[in-house]
Amino acid sequence: MIAALRSEYRKIVTTRTWWVLLLAMLAYMSFLAATFAFAMTQGGAMGGPGTQGLGHSPTSAISVYTIAVAFGYVFPVIVGALSVTGEFRHQTITPTLLAEPRRTTLVGAKLLAAVPVGVLYGVLGTAAGVGVGAGVLALTDHATYLDDPEVLVAVGRSVLALAVWAVVGVGLGLAMPNQVAVIVVVLAFTQFVEPILRFALAFVADGALAGVGAYLPGAAGEAITGSSFYSQMGAGELLAWWQGLLVLVGYALVFAALGRVTTLRRDIT
Amino acid sequence: MTTAPTGPPGTTPADEGVVQVQGLTKHFGAVAAVQDLSFTVRPGRVTGFLGPNGAGKTTTLRMLLGLVRPTSGTATVSGRAYGDLARPMSTVGAALEAASFHPGRSALDHLRTYAPSIGAPDSRCAEVLALVGLEGAARRRVGGFSLGMRQRLALATTLLGDPKVLLLDEPANGLDPEGIVWLRGLLRHLASQGRTVLVSSHMLSEVQQTVDDVIIIARGRLVHASPIAELASLAVPTVTVASPDEAGLDALVAANGWERTAEAGAPGTSVVTLRGTSAAAVGSAAFAAGLELHELASRSVGLEDVFLHLVQEPGTPGPTTTGGAP
């Protein structure tokens, strides 16, 4: 297992994909953190009726610092997914299974190999949010709340959430080994379907379904940090952080198991 | 020769390096890709695994390697199924297609990604690159490699684990003539070290000078398995004879009952190719009949023709020399 893990880890870090996507994530997160930190200093001017707005508070500071968990998780997901779909796209699944014919071991190695990569995305993606966000707050003479333990814990959990997202990506890639399909599905779901679903679930049926939205993967990821733009803007409640963690890990394992009994059950021709 | 199928604990030294295929069958839906195929490949020899495209060679290799699940039958290496080998790639080195590389990875990194799973130290990666003559391209991305370079890299990957058995699918594809000579030498060398070397090809001529044994399949079934020398004995020589007296030549052939396999000729000259006789017999009969001959030549059938005859659909004509130079 250790040997398979080392092989899988090397596969991820020996192509350009991981750092190209990482740079894209850092640029995007820096831009968003700057934008939202600035909005935060405008004293809730963005908030409409029925929302709490973006006041200057530790809670909204957390939302800025953990912006990667709300908007940037798609990057570790895609890196994780590509670690599987690339094998099918370039037919390297053949030598991979020759080197490691135990397919369940391979699934485990791929899931675990995504962890260090996810941690890297988590550390740097969160650092971009914190660095740029706190920088904007400091430049505009607002408190950064970086000495608030609650804020620091949330920042730490942001790294955890993003690392788990990379593992979810591996699961998705196993369940859906077509590279184009998985990228389209990931982008469509994370950027469009889930946000709409979360707002819709919060408002339909007098909020009776609001609890369901908390179990969607994006909401579970945000629950790990405990605060987010979506929840701040009234898109339903979040789970406790550990519940969110379990739900997100659950998604990764369910997808991976699905991939094990479909994709990796088939003949490799 | 019968070899008892042995499970994981019962591997005997006699099985070491032996590739054994027994009653192997694979159906893809309604298509029978491989049907009741049995053969044995022995160590210390280069064995050609031959058949036209679509004969089932790659499917057979994939079943041997645990990538495709057989519908029935068994395929073992050293007495074990591939998936039951402790460190499979240090027992079996297999190269299935030259396209199995991530184009963005360098040659050295490609090897480094597989080395841990195989159980090979990282230093081995540079060693095998040198062995296949790619040491100068170690840091180059595989995306820019020629087909011949990819073949060499695929071969390097198979050698990473220093395996006892090598299974190579069409390894000569894309190699230039110099590369083919090099490959021939390498395969001979590996076999001389006591390794089992199985090389598939759709052309006998490509491996003819390299292999000791041939296994020929067509339409998923075994059609011939023997040392290559025995294959050569299946070749039947032909005699080409030319005469200006067309009627006289026809009468001579008919009188002696020779099998005509080809006709040619220009105005005033008749040229026929005969099978199952010798130049001496034809010459003697023509002399006795007073027939004027302008050409009398014995031609041996090439092994490739024997091969083509073996893999042809049943009911098509036998191997012949088809004009051209001998």
Side-chain angles (χ1 to χ4, degrees), chain A residues 1 7 31 37 65 71 73 79 83 90-91 95 98-99 118 129 168 177 191 216 223 230 256 264:
Chain A
M1 184 66 180
S7 275
F31 167 75
Y65 296 157
F71 297 105
Y73 65 89
V79 165
S83 78
H90 302 296
Q91 293 162 28
L98 291 183
V168 174
Q191 309 301 302
L216 291 171
Y230 291 117
L264 283 177

Side-chain angles (χ1 to χ4, degrees), chain A residues 2-254:
Chain A
I2 299 291
L5 184 54
R6 285 179 61 207
S7 275
E8 291 311 318
Y9 175 74
R10 285 182 176 184
K11 277 179 204 165
I12 298 176
V13 298
T14 50
T15 66
R16 284 173 285 190
T17 311
W18 73 272
W19 60 260
V20 169
L21 279 172
L22 181 59
L23 288 182
M25 179 189 188
L26 296 184
Y28 185 34
M29 291 310 107
S30 301
F31 167 75
L32 286 183
T35 308
F36 286 108
F38 185 73
M40 185 178 148
T41 62
Q42 303 306 301
M46 274 177 68
T51 71
Q52 298 163 356
L54 278 174
H56 181 236
S57 68
T59 310
S60 50
I62 288 175
S63 296
V64 171
Y65 296 157
T66 64
I67 194 111
V69 176
F71 297 105
Y73 65 89
V74 66
F75 292 95
V77 168
I78 287 182
V79 165
L82 292 186
S83 78
V84 179
T85 60
E87 296 257 32
F88 287 90
R89 184 179 171 83
H90 302 296
Q91 293 162 28
T92 51
I93 189 68
T94 291
T96 291
L97 284 173
L98 291 183
E100 183 46 84
R102 292 162 300 177
R103 299 185 179 188
T104 304
T105 303
L106 179 70
V107 168
K110 283 215 175 279
L111 290 171
L112 288 177
V115 171
V117 180
V119 167
L120 182 71
Y121 274 63
V123 167
L124 295 181
T126 305
V130 173
V132 174
V136 169
L137 290 178
L139 282 174
T140 53
D141 290 326
H142 287 77
T144 61
Y145 299 112
L146 280 178
D147 49 359
D148 185 331
E150 196 195 340
V151 173
L152 292 177
V153 166
V155 165
R157 287 186 191 149
S158 163
V159 175
L160 175 67
L162 291 166
V164 175
W165 271 117
V167 182
V168 174
V170 173
L172 272 174
L174 286 163
M176 218 183 307
N178 182 307
Q179 183 148 312
V180 175
V182 80
I183 291 175
V184 168
V185 166
V186 164
L187 290 179
F189 187 83
T190 62
Q191 309 301 302
F192 187 67
V193 177
E194 171 160 354
I196 288 178
L197 260 183
R198 283 171 71 186
F199 278 106
L201 287 169
F203 290 116
V204 296
D206 290 332
L209 295 172
V212 177
Y215 290 91
L216 291 171
E222 287 171 23
I224 298 175
T225 56
S227 173
S228 80
F229 275 99
Y230 291 117
S231 60
Q232 278 217 33
M233 291 173 126
E237 291 299 306
L238 294 175
L239 300 170
W241 78 270
W242 59 270
Q243 290 172 318
L245 178 65
L246 288 180
V247 168
L248 201 56
V249 169
Y251 274 108
L253 295 181
V254 167

Side-chain angles (χ1 to χ4, degrees), chain A residues 3-4 6-7 10-11 14-16 87 90-92 94-99 101 103 265-269, chain B residues 26 28 62 65-69 82 88-89 94 96 99-103 105 109 112-114 116-117 122 141:
Chain A
R6 285 179 61 207
S7 275
R10 285 182 176 184
K11 277 179 204 165
T14 50
T15 66
R16 284 173 285 190
E87 296 257 32
H90 302 296
Q91 293 162 28
T92 51
T94 291
T96 291
L97 284 173
L98 291 183
R103 299 185 179 188
R265 182 100 173 262
R266 296 185 194 124
D267 287 339
I268 306 294
T269 52
Chain B
K26 178 66 186 183
F28 289 113
R62 286 187 174 270
L65 296 165
L67 296 168
V68 167
R69 191 175 307 165
Y82 190 83
M89 278 183 75
L96 282 175
S100 290
F101 304 107
H102 190 296
R105 218 170 259 146
D109 279 342
R112 278 168 30 85
T113 59
Y114 294 104
S117 290
D122 285 353
R141 290 207 174 87

Side-chain angles (χ1 to χ4, degrees), chain B residues 231-257:
Chain B
L231 187 67
S233 70
L234 296 178
V236 181
T238 62
V239 175
T240 299
V241 53
S243 169
D245 180 356
E246 185 173 349
L249 183 58
D250 287 348
L252 185 74
V253 171
N256 287 280

Side-chain angles (χ1 to χ4, degrees), chain B residues 123-255:
Chain B
S123 57
R124 177 77 182 153
C125 299
E127 265 175 50
V128 292
L129 275 180
L131 208 56
V132 300
L134 281 179
E135 59 272 59
R139 304 273 173 198
R140 279 173 54 193
R141 290 207 174 87
V142 179
F145 276 22
S146 68
L147 184 54
M149 290 170 80
R150 285 162 194 257
Q151 287 284 20
R152 286 170 188 256
L153 184 55
L155 198 54
T157 314
T158 67
L159 295 172
L160 260 182
D162 195 19
K164 178 94 172 104
V165 178
L166 283 156
L167 306 177
L168 308 173
D169 197 8
E170 305 268 357
N173 260 4
L175 289 183
D176 53 21
E178 193 190 341
I180 290 178
V181 171
W182 164 82
L183 178 68
R184 192 175 290 159
L186 181 66
L187 297 181
R188 297 280 358 144
H189 174 66
L190 291 167
S192 73
Q193 294 174 326
R195 295 178 215 258
T196 310
V197 182
L198 184 69
V199 186
S200 86
S201 178
H202 61 281
M203 278 166 64
L204 175 68
S205 55
E206 206 173 60
V207 296
Q208 186 174 335
Q209 288 165 279
T210 316
V211 301
D212 303 296
D213 296 326
V214 288
I215 292 165
I216 301 173
I217 68 170
R219 296 169 300 281
R221 292 179 184 279
L222 184 73
V223 294
H224 183 86
S226 77
I228 191 152
E230 281 178 36
L231 187 67
S233 70
L234 296 178
V236 181
T238 62
V239 175
T240 299
V241 53
S243 169
D245 180 356
E246 185 173 349
L249 183 58
D250 287 348
L252 185 74
V253 171

